[in-house]
Every structure is written in C-alpha cells, then in structure tokens.
Amino acid sequence: MTANRTGSLTVTLCRDFREFGALAGEWDALHRRCATATPFQSHAWLHSWWISYGQEGRLRVLLVRRSGLLIGAAPLMLVHRPMPLLVPMGGAISDFFDILLDEEEAGYAVGALQRGLDRAARHTVVDLREVRPDASAQLLFGRWPGARSRLTDSTCMELPARPLGDLVSRLTGSRGQRLRAKLRRIEALDVEARTIPQDGVPAAIGTLLRLHELQWRDRGVNPEHLRARFSDHLVRSVGRMVGDGTAAVTEFRMGGEVVAANLTLQSGHLAGGYMYGADPGLRDRKVDVSTMLLREVSQQASDTGREVLSLLRGAEQYKNHWQPVTVVNQRLLLARPGLEPLLRLRESQVAVRERAVETVKTRFPAARDWHGRLTTLPVIGR
C-alpha cells in the first residue's frame, strides 16, 4: 500500500489482493454503516468476483481511515482498453456501483476519497457505471474539481418492500383482477417455498443455474451465466452472504420436485431479485413464474425491514404489471483537468457503443432481456 496523510485522516491505495482479502471484517462494518451501500459493494461479493474475474496488478481500492477506523472506500480496478480507465470492481454482473462512506464521517471521507482518486487517476479517466441517483458516489461527483460528465446507464424498476397482497391492493381494474387470479392459481397448486441454509448453497446454486439455462433455452441465454467462473463466484459469494443475512436462496417445489429457484441479494434499505431459474413446464401448467417469485421475494424484503424492492436492471414488460417506479442508473466520468480531451473521447466511445446496442436490440428482440449485462461484460486480462 502507498499512503498519504491529511490531518488525522489516512488515505491509502490498496493494490494487493491478499491485503484486500484481509479487510473483510472492517469492510463489512463500513458496509453496514453506509446507508446507500448495495449488495454489490459487500466484501463477500467483491472478493469472490476478483477470484473469478480479476487480474493481478489491476486492483485499485482506495481506503480512508480516521485513527485506524475505516470510514471510506472506493473499490476500483485498472483496465487499459479501449483506453486507460479506472472502473468499478464487480464488472458487468454487478447491477450497481457505489463508494462506501461512514454516515457520521461522510463529509470528511468523501473529501479524502476525492483527493486520493485525483492521485490514483493521474493518467486515466475514471468511468463509474451503474450509479444509483441516490448513491454516495454522487457526492464524489459533486466535489470533483476536474473534468466530469454525467451520462445515463441502465434502467431499473423498483417497488416498495411490502407483502405482495399490499402490492396487489394498489392495482385496480382488470390488471388487479388478473394478478389476483394468478395468485389463486399458484396457491391452488400448493407450491412450497423453502429458504436454503448456508450449507445448502452450493447445491442450490447448481440447481438455480440449471433451471436458468432451461428457462432461456432457445431464447438467447446470456453466455456468461453458463460459465464455470460465474457459477464459482455465486457459490463463494452467496455462501458468505447467506451466512450474514445479506442474501437468500429460495427453492420452489411441487410434488417434492424443485421447479424454480431464486437468488435475492440484500443490504441496508434495499433488496433485489438478482437471478432466477424456472422449469419451462410451469408455463404448461399456467403458472405465472414472475408472480410466484415476487410473492416470496416481497415477503422476504418486508420481513427483513427493507424499504425498496428492486427488480434490478432491465425494463422487461413483465415488470410493468406491478406499476413499479422507474429509476435510471447513471454513468459518471471523471478526469483531471489536463485529461479532459480523454474524457470527451470516452464520451464519444460510449455514444458509439450505445448506438450499436440499440441496433442489436432492434434487430434481435430476444436480446432485450439481458443486453444490459451482456454488453457491459468487462474486458478481462487487458
């Protein structure tokens, strides 16, 4: 690590993965003290992600301490293509990025992170993707003294974290009637939902991914979801997260057989349905899978005191049945004043890529459901 002190604050840049691994306890404590933190900034998620996707020498994690207490962190990494960039750890399989700030020290911590990032980004543009509008990273953007740009990123859908019956009661007319009929159908089939304990996570993740592949067969599955590195990452990270109450894996059984599985990630005030898999045979039995899953996820979010139930990235049509609120993630570009031409070049590159994505979506409608994760897959090893 390299260090620089400002008053009683210590700002360090961690480049060693073993040192990052040793931060687990204090990182998790900071994560709990940061109201805007999402599950994708948990140590379990990031540490596991780096094992599957990271490359030696590219880690760039900024840490701020006051009298030894970790009060701020920015989990970043270095890539070289299409230009030198500092980008979020977590890559395309993470729906949100944010920095971590201790609520009681946020002003000091964000100032120290800004100064540390200015030094770390001496020759690079900082490209922060999938930043929520209320994220702590917005404070960093507001304080940045150099060149900066705010772009739009993925669209997300959100509901209040309330039991499904309460959500249905908000709906009137034929829409509400259809959803109530779907719920009655699920109840009549006697679907049993079972939350998986920590020691059952590896097998449950295997079942989830098998059902996910079946569900998307012949409809353009995201190829990353079929790779061993993705499976390994979920087993490692979710195992830890189930243990500390920030993830839940649920299996749905009919007649003793697992017909669907769902993974929910949780932190602070937010819970999000990250991934599910379902036997295609459920469609033949007229089971509305999204309603079945949402019934369980919404209850979990309500029971654990969350405020927001995020349907995460994507504006798929089925999500609109519940009249969610649309929230658009942002992409924050930062650079030193002397690197503004590079930042503007990066803006142009992003615009070209977005036009290409829109063309793919127009020509291949099946890509709409997962293009957000596919088109943002990181360039690993470059």
Side-chain angles (χ1 to χ4, degrees):
M1 289 191 180
T2 57
N4 184 66
R5 293 185 181 276
T6 304
S8 61
L9 296 178
T10 301
V11 185
T12 61
L13 181 63
C14 176
R15 301 187 181 202
D16 189 300
F17 180 61
R18 290 170 298 180
E19 293 185 20
F20 178 70
L23 293 172
E26 55 182 332
W27 189 282
D28 287 343
L30 175 60
H31 189 265
R32 290 190 293 269
R33 298 195 305 273
C34 181
T36 67
T38 80
F40 304 103
Q41 284 76 60
S42 70
H43 190 272
W45 184 267
L46 292 173
H47 186 266
S48 174
W49 182 90
W50 192 265
I51 292 172
S52 282
Y53 296 93
Q55 186 175 22
E56 186 176 357
R58 303 296 172 82
L59 193 67
R60 299 289 188 275
V61 180
L62 280 163
L63 305 168
V64 179
R65 289 187 172 88
R66 182 188 290 281
S67 302
L69 178 67
L70 187 64
I71 63 169
L76 304 172
M77 64 181 186
L78 175 68
V79 297
H80 292 302
R81 294 184 184 179
M83 64 169 59
L85 298 168
L86 284 178
V87 301
M89 286 178 69
I93 64 171
S94 301
D95 287 63
F96 303 126
F97 169 76
D98 204 359
I99 61 175
L100 298 180
L101 300 176
D102 186 318
E103 287 186 77
E104 295 185 0
E105 298 268 16
Y108 295 107
V110 73
L113 282 176
Q114 177 263 307
R115 293 188 294 273
L117 186 58
D118 179 74
R119 291 189 296 274
R122 189 171 299 149
H123 306 295
T124 64
V125 173
V126 182
D127 187 352
L128 306 180
R129 298 210 56 180
E130 307 298 356
V131 178
R132 289 169 56 81
D134 62 350
S136 292
Q138 300 287 357
L139 299 176
L140 178 64
F141 183 85
R143 289 201 179 197
W144 189 254
R148 60 184 184 173
S149 179
R150 189 194 307 272
L151 310 174
T152 59
D153 219 329
S154 300
T155 298
C156 302
M157 302 290 194
E158 294 183 355
L159 292 165
R162 294 159 56 185
L164 193 59
D166 293 349
L167 297 178
V168 172
S169 68
R170 304 184 314 157
L171 307 178
T172 59
S174 59
R175 176 176 292 182
Q177 292 174 359
R178 286 195 299 271
L179 290 173
R180 291 184 187 93
K182 290 176 180 178
L183 281 171
R184 289 194 295 269
R185 174 67 178 168
I186 294 167
E187 291 166 359
L189 290 172
D190 195 25
V191 178
E192 175 193 1
R194 175 176 176 261
T195 302
I196 303 301
Q198 186 176 15
D199 61 4
V201 166
I205 292 295
T207 299
L208 166 62
L209 292 175
R210 176 180 59 80
L211 289 170
H212 184 75
E213 182 179 4
L214 280 175
Q215 160 197 326
W216 283 96
R217 184 167 292 170
D218 301 323
R219 292 195 297 144
V221 66
N222 183 340
E224 186 60 27
H225 294 166
L226 306 183
R227 295 187 174 122
R229 64 184 183 182
F230 180 71
S231 174
D232 292 343
H233 162 64
L234 288 186
V235 169
R236 281 190 305 264
S237 60
V238 175
R240 281 180 59 186
M241 295 170 79
V242 166
D244 63 22
T246 56
V249 182
T250 307
E251 291 184 344
F252 299 82
R253 296 173 179 265
M254 292 176 59
E257 178 185 358
V258 179
V259 294
N262 182 70
L263 169 59
T264 303
L265 304 180
Q266 305 164 332
S267 71
H269 70 286
L270 179 144
Y274 181 72
M275 171 177 272
Y276 74 92
D279 190 321
L282 289 174
R283 292 196 297 267
D284 299 332
R285 304 186 70 166
K286 309 300 183 185
V287 176
D288 188 297
V289 174
S290 64
T291 299
M292 181 180 73
L293 299 176
L294 189 60
R295 181 179 67 166
E296 186 65 23
V297 172
S298 62
Q299 190 66 54
Q300 290 173 350
S302 177
D303 289 346
T304 55
R306 265 72 191 188
E307 300 172 11
V308 175
L309 174 58
S310 175
L311 306 180
L312 300 184
R313 290 182 295 179
E316 296 89 344
Q317 184 58 39
Y318 76 86
K319 296 179 180 179
N320 289 316
H321 296 163
W322 303 95
Q323 296 183 347
V325 174
T326 298
V327 178
V328 179
N329 288 345
Q330 297 172 6
R331 185 171 194 161
L332 308 181
L333 300 179
L334 309 169
R336 285 183 151 196
L339 295 181
E340 183 167 358
L342 275 182
L343 184 144
R344 302 308 167 195
L345 175 60
R346 184 59 179 154
E347 276 186 318
S348 299
Q349 292 172 341
V350 170
V352 169
R353 189 176 182 87
E354 287 302 309
R355 287 196 293 270
V357 169
E358 289 302 317
T359 299
V360 170
K361 287 166 59 180
T362 301
R363 295 183 179 179
F364 305 100
R368 293 175 184 270
D369 291 339
W370 49 267
H371 79 275
R373 288 182 181 140
L374 178 60
T375 57
T376 57
L377 286 176
V379 181
I380 302 298
R382 295 183 177 178

